[in-house]
Amino acid sequence: MFNPLDFVYIAEFLEESKVDKKEAKNRTIIGRYYYASFLFLRGILKENLKNYNSKEAKEFLYLIELSNSHKIILDFLNVLKKEDGKFRRVYNALSILRDLRNASDYELESPARVKSIKEMVDFNDDYYVELSKNKYKIIVNSKSDVENILKDRSKIDKILRKI
């Protein structure tokens, strides 16, 4: 099975490369950090919720396999952060990464508008690569917190009902 964190190796390889198309390189790196983070979180959710027998959990597991799974996982984290404030950083990290990835993939203007960042983003600037890397680290470092809260079935079913 593919390990989504392997996307980080590609991002790091590109960061160290001497490719002269800096904007294209940075846009690609940002996308790899987003997908590593998104798939990492999705994997944790799938693994920890697969044995839940509730209707909400089964429906959630089905939804995170569909094309709108990106939004569904952010919705889950948004409700989770309201239940437990320590997940605010995880929600914000994934939200910013997603917005950067969307802009890097679809906004051809430079600088580009990014929804969650209140400034225009120049993808020639390595700052946004570093920002993406830092957001990725927040998500990966939250693994035990996410897994621990997923053990509380009554809390999780309550969260899933709100999505």
Side-chain angles (χ1 to χ4, degrees):
M1 175 158 44
F2 178 71
N3 182 348
L5 298 183
D6 287 347
F7 280 136
V8 174
Y9 295 119
I10 300 304
E12 291 169 344
F13 173 79
L14 283 172
E15 282 182 82
E16 295 170 11
S17 76
K18 302 293 185 215
V19 173
D20 64 348
K21 302 289 185 182
K22 188 170 191 169
E23 183 175 1
K25 178 173 102 169
N26 286 352
R27 286 172 179 258
T28 302
I29 291 167
I30 289 165
R32 296 307 86 199
Y33 280 120
Y34 169 71
Y35 277 106
S37 301
F38 165 75
L39 294 170
F40 174 77
L41 280 172
R42 189 179 76 171
I44 290 172
L45 291 167
K46 287 169 60 173
E47 182 62 30
N48 286 274
L49 296 177
K50 69 182 178 186
N51 295 322
Y52 279 38
N53 291 321
S54 72
K55 176 183 148 224
E56 292 85 5
K58 288 178 182 180
E59 184 176 326
F60 181 77
L61 288 171
Y62 171 74
L63 291 174
I64 64 173
E65 293 295 334
L66 301 177
S67 62
N68 65 343
S69 59
H70 301 264
K71 181 186 178 314
I72 298 294
I73 290 173
L74 274 172
D75 289 347
F76 175 84
L77 291 172
N78 189 33
V79 175
L80 180 59
K81 77 176 184 178
K82 293 173 185 172
E83 292 288 320
D84 189 331
K86 70 180 166 188
F87 293 101
R88 180 174 308 284
R89 290 186 73 211
V90 178
Y91 170 80
N92 290 340
L94 190 63
S95 181
I96 289 169
L97 273 171
R98 182 179 185 211
D99 289 346
L100 280 169
R101 198 277 308 171
N102 282 337
S104 69
D105 282 354
Y106 301 114
E107 298 294 328
L108 300 181
E109 297 298 320
S110 187
R113 184 166 312 283
V114 176
K115 190 171 143 184
S116 60
I117 298 177
K118 307 295 186 223
E119 61 193 51
M120 298 298 282
V121 172
D122 179 357
F123 289 110
N124 283 300
D125 188 342
D126 291 335
Y127 168 79
Y128 298 101
V129 168
E130 285 303 311
L131 178 64
S132 297
K133 185 187 302 185
N134 289 335
K135 299 303 178 189
Y136 156 79
K137 287 178 182 176
I138 287 169
I139 290 166
V140 170
N141 290 335
S142 73
K143 181 181 182 186
S144 63
D145 287 336
V146 174
E147 287 177 331
N148 284 335
I149 201 154
L150 291 172
K151 292 175 184 172
D152 187 341
R153 290 180 184 235
S154 62
K155 186 177 274 190
I156 295 306
D157 283 340
K158 179 180 169 188
I159 290 168
L160 294 175
R161 281 191 290 276
K162 292 181 181 181
I163 296 175

